[in-house]
Amino acid sequence: MLQFEKTEKYYGNHLALSVPALELPEGLHWLQGENGSGKTTLLKMIAGLHPFKGDILRDGISIKKQRNKFLSAVNYGEAEPLYPSFLTAKDLLELYCYTKNAAITDSMDLLSELHIKDAYYKPVGTYSSGMVKKLSLVLAFVGNPKLILLDEPLITIDVASVDLICKFIKQKRDREGVSFIISSHQSFETAIHFTSTVLVKHQTLQIKEL
Amino acid sequence: MKPIIKVMQTVLVNHFYKLNAGFLAFFFFLFFGVVRGEQLIYFHVSLIKAFLASPVFLAMVIIAWGLYTLKCADYIIKRILEPRQLFLTCINRLAPKKVWGWMLYTHLLIYMPVLLYVLIALSFAVHAHQWIQVIIITISNLAFIVSATQAYFRVLQQQSTESFIFKLNLPEPKFAKPLFAFPLYFLWHERKQMLLITKVFSFLVLYGFISFYEPDGYDIRPLLLIFLLISAAHMSMIYQIRFFENEFLLFTKNLPITLTKRFVQMLGLYLVLFSPELIYVYRAYPLFFSINDYPQLVLILLSLAAFFHSVLLTSDMKAEDFLKIVFGMLAVLFFLIFYNPGSLLFVFVLLIAFVFFYGNFYEFEKSNQAKEVKP
């Protein structure tokens, strides 16, 4: 369960997001909202990339007080991932696996299925935007996370990979009980059955169970 | 003021001086702030006469001018190639001779600190009828100015550094890349000229000091001042490392790594970056430093780099404020070193760096992010 306690995000003097008190149960959550409503900001706050006021807790573990413990169980896939061009997929996967205490072999199947295993030793600078996106998704699944945050996971990737990612999300949820918060302007149709939608509107969150 | 002059000054010249203010201010302080007022002119006259009299000294001075030219060229070329400065290509609509002239004008403005000193040295050489020195200094400086201007002209016209004279292809290290070394790879790949120029400068300063300075007795302080100068010379590189972290390593904040470990990794980064100086300085052993004092040399480089890096983690840090802090810190250390405070001074600087790092690492946010969602 994810708990928000007096969470506020300011950009300068502008209040971008305010969640005084909210509990988000485990499950598959579809994060919705207009462009610029603060979806990415919310995900980055939970992922530890953005500073904010207040606190966010996962199963009672505070990101402010027990940051490492919190982040060990929270993975994040960016909408437009940006990695140093000289790093290879191998470099990044080794870094993620080392810090998330995971085995590299566990990620190899997904790399292979997404057809980026051939580029494993090549610098990311030689990848297409779709390949970088696929790599970021593989990295988002590394280890044993309890919560995975995916920001627009379906953009720039091919149709076959979209099906594969949806299948993988379902597997992770059904077999390992991993929760997801997924922001997407695209519809998942019947591929994923969401528990709820989280609407970002008027600088706050509204949950609607499905 | 013509619009082109205004654009060139704002986009290229002013930004260059802002970026290198710490570096230039330190040199200014070293050349004009250390010697007492009444001895200042005598000091500079002696210095100029010394390098005009010694071919080796003159060669070193010309190499130093050449390095400054490379620094200027590296900066201007990178600036022109920035996507945000693409509008500069509109200057290409002018006749090529005019474009060349504007680039010459730009280069002369940023080469001005050297040019003034060159002109003074030339007047001394002419006065003393040292015609060979006059020719060498004139030709070398003309070559520097013309080649730099030609380089800017070509880059502006082609929007590429293809077949550019300063292009370097350094070999790619094949071993595994640990997180702390990512910024080193960035420098190796993306800031080759800067890396090379800074390291050659460091080497020349150390070589000149070890070869020409004759101490009366054992004293660690002159070597510490040389290391302070080397730290100042690395300022632009530290700035670039922070730029790289902000642009490309934000994703690492999602990784469960403790702040202490991140701080130690930063120290590891700077230890590797300064390892050429820390190894080469062994040429100065035992005349200039004892083994007991070696930790001081390591600490001065690490603590200052860590301090400047950590200061740049402050969210609202403007370039001007940063430069004030840099210059203030260098000036304070310059005077404190005269009192021979030992390693404790640098441990204290390291402690301040840690406090800054601890307080700001997760709070840091790029200033342009504030504009993303603003209504």
Side-chain angles (χ1 to χ4, degrees):
Chain A
M1 181 196 289
L2 209 59
Q3 268 177 284
F4 294 82
E5 289 182 356
K6 296 175 184 168
T7 312
E8 285 182 338
K9 174 64 193 168
Y10 282 88
Y11 287 117
N13 295 322
H14 170 68
L15 178 66
L17 208 58
S18 173
V19 189
L22 187 86
E23 290 186 356
L24 194 62
E26 289 183 2
L28 280 165
H29 307 285
W30 188 356
L31 187 63
Q32 294 179 324
E34 292 175 1
N35 291 333
S37 58
K39 299 186 296 295
T40 299
T41 296
L42 175 74
L43 294 178
K44 285 190 173 179
M45 284 159 63
I46 304 168
L49 268 62
H50 271 351
F52 59 89
K53 288 181 180 174
D55 206 353
I56 299 173
L57 300 97
R58 191 198 58 77
D59 293 340
I61 300 164
S62 156
I63 190 172
K64 293 282 175 85
K65 292 170 191 153
Q66 299 155 283
R67 188 182 169 97
N68 283 344
K69 204 172 174 186
F70 182 98
L71 291 181
S72 296
V74 178
N75 287 7
Y76 175 53
E78 289 197 68
E80 292 169 23
L82 194 60
Y83 302 114
S85 59
F86 51 83
L87 292 182
T88 61
K90 177 180 175 286
D91 295 326
L92 285 163
L93 196 58
E94 280 177 355
L95 172 67
Y96 270 74
C97 287
Y98 174 71
T99 53
K100 299 268 181 184
N101 206 12
I104 292 175
T105 45
D106 294 346
S107 301
M108 283 302 170
D109 286 345
L110 190 56
L111 271 177
S112 191
E113 285 186 70
L114 289 171
H115 304 291
I116 43 172
K117 203 176 175 184
D118 294 342
Y120 189 57
Y121 296 99
K122 289 180 183 166
V124 173
T126 63
Y127 288 18
S128 68
S129 57
M131 285 168 76
V132 176
K133 182 72 183 177
K134 286 179 188 176
L135 175 63
S136 79
L137 290 169
V138 173
L139 296 174
F141 286 108
V142 161
N144 299 300
K146 301 286 178 231
L147 172 66
I148 298 179
L149 313 162
L150 298 177
D151 196 356
E152 296 290 351
L154 308 185
I155 54 168
T156 71
I157 58 174
D158 51 76
V159 179
S161 299
V162 167
D163 293 341
L164 202 70
I165 292 297
C166 290
K167 190 184 95 184
F168 210 75
I169 291 170
K170 271 184 75 179
Q171 272 181 11
K172 276 275 182 189
R173 177 67 202 146
D174 296 342
R175 292 180 192 172
E176 299 170 36
V178 177
S179 291
F180 285 83
I181 302 178
I182 302 171
S183 89
S184 181
H185 288 291
Q186 288 165 271
S187 168
F188 289 87
E189 293 172 357
T190 54
I192 295 176
H193 295 287
F194 285 102
T195 324
S196 71
T197 57
V198 180
L199 184 66
V200 187
K201 200 174 179 184
H202 305 308
Q203 286 92 38
T204 195
L205 306 183
Q206 295 164 14
I207 302 176
K208 188 180 160 191
E209 287 190 19
L210 297 171
Chain B
M1 188 186 275
K2 282 191 173 183
I4 295 179
I5 296 179
K6 199 174 176 182
V7 168
M8 291 299 192
Q9 282 199 337
T10 312
V11 177
L12 300 176
V13 181
N14 295 356
H15 189 256
F16 172 83
Y17 281 111
K18 264 186 193 173
L19 206 66
N20 292 286
F23 178 74
L24 293 168
F26 188 82
F27 269 96
F28 187 82
F29 184 67
L30 203 68
F31 278 90
F32 300 99
V34 180
V35 185
R36 275 184 290 177
E38 63 271 21
Q39 293 175 344
L40 190 63
I41 295 173
Y42 174 75
F43 168 74
H44 283 281
V45 170
S46 306
L47 189 69
I48 290 169
K49 282 183 176 173
F51 72 69
L52 287 175
S54 161
V56 177
F57 197 1
L58 181 61
M60 285 182 66
V61 171
I62 291 173
I63 289 171
W65 292 338
L67 286 176
Y68 185 76
T69 305
L70 279 177
K71 188 178 176 64
C72 297
D74 183 54
Y75 161 78
I76 294 280
I77 287 162
K78 289 224 163 65
R79 188 81 171 146
I80 291 172
L81 290 174
E82 280 177 19
R84 276 176 294 183
Q85 315 306 341
L86 199 65
F87 73 95
L88 283 174
T89 51
C90 69
I91 297 169
N92 287 331
R93 290 178 199 160
L94 299 172
K97 273 184 188 174
K98 276 195 174 176
V99 177
W100 207 91
W102 286 120
M103 296 324 292
L104 174 67
Y105 168 80
T106 304
H107 181 69
L108 288 179
L109 285 181
I110 60 171
Y111 195 63
M112 193 64 77
V114 168
L115 198 59
L116 290 175
Y117 214 84
V118 166
L119 292 174
I120 295 167
L122 274 177
S123 68
F124 272 90
V126 170
H127 187 72
H129 302 289
Q130 292 171 307
W131 302 115
I132 294 175
Q133 286 87 333
V134 170
I135 293 167
I136 291 171
I137 292 173
T138 307
I139 289 177
S140 59
N141 274 281
L142 276 177
F144 292 152
I145 292 167
V146 169
S147 48
T149 306
Q150 179 64 14
Y152 308 154
F153 176 73
R154 281 173 63 179
V155 170
L156 191 66
Q157 294 225 315
Q158 298 170 3
Q159 277 297 300
S160 151
T161 51
E162 282 300 313
S163 75
F164 183 62
I165 52 168
F166 297 128
K167 190 173 177 179
L168 290 169
N169 283 315
L170 298 175
E172 168 71 34
K174 293 290 179 198
F175 42 84
K177 303 178 186 79
L179 176 59
F180 84 90
F182 286 1
L184 293 172
Y185 280 87
F186 162 72
L187 295 174
W188 190 261
H189 281 266
E190 310 287 336
R191 297 289 183 271
K192 292 168 192 167
Q193 284 92 359
M194 181 185 272
L195 186 63
L196 188 76
I197 293 164
T198 311
K199 288 302 168 190
V200 170
F201 173 80
S202 280
F203 168 78
L204 281 177
V205 167
L206 267 178
Y207 175 81
F209 175 77
I210 295 166
S211 304
F212 299 107
Y213 181 66
E214 291 175 3
D216 297 328
Y218 179 77
D219 192 350
I220 186 71
R221 291 174 301 176
L223 192 54
L224 284 175
L225 291 177
I226 291 296
F227 269 50
L228 196 63
L229 176 63
I230 289 171
S231 295
H234 282 74
M235 202 57 55
S236 301
M237 221 182 272
I238 295 170
Y239 200 86
Q240 289 299 320
I241 287 172
R242 281 292 303 126
F243 158 81
F244 168 70
E245 287 183 342
N246 292 342
E247 293 295 319
F248 296 100
L249 295 186
L250 278 181
F251 72 92
T252 63
K253 283 189 178 178
N254 177 241
L255 300 176
I257 303 169
T258 62
L259 266 178
T260 310
K261 196 171 179 184
R262 288 181 195 269
F263 187 77
V264 171
Q265 283 180 337
M266 178 185 65
L267 293 183
L269 155 71
Y270 288 115
L271 188 63
V272 176
L273 186 65
F274 286 119
S275 58
E277 286 85 353
L278 291 169
I279 292 168
Y280 183 72
V281 78
Y282 266 101
R283 270 202 64 212
Y285 177 78
L287 189 60
F288 295 97
F289 72 94
S290 67
I291 288 298
N292 289 342
D293 280 334
Y294 187 70
Q296 270 199 73
L297 299 175
V298 180
L299 273 172
I300 188 174
L301 292 180
L302 289 193
S303 62
L304 274 173
F307 176 79
F308 295 131
H309 186 114
S310 303
V311 164
L312 283 168
L313 283 165
T314 314
S315 284
D316 298 325
M317 181 61 64
K318 289 176 185 150
E320 291 88 347
D321 297 333
F322 174 64
L323 292 171
K324 280 179 199 163
I325 292 171
V326 168
F327 185 60
M329 189 58 156
L330 292 174
V332 166
L333 285 183
F334 188 92
F335 284 109
L336 287 178
I337 285 170
F338 279 116
Y339 293 99
N340 210 356
S343 299
L344 268 181
L345 173 66
F346 308 116
V347 171
F348 182 65
V349 174
L350 200 60
L351 202 65
I352 298 173
F354 183 71
V355 171
F356 258 100
F357 189 89
Y358 212 86
N360 291 313
F361 186 85
Y362 292 124
E363 293 303 314
F364 178 81
E365 209 166 9
K366 274 195 301 178
S367 56
N368 62 346
Q369 281 176 348
K371 292 166 193 163
E372 279 175 16
V373 190
K374 269 190 174 178

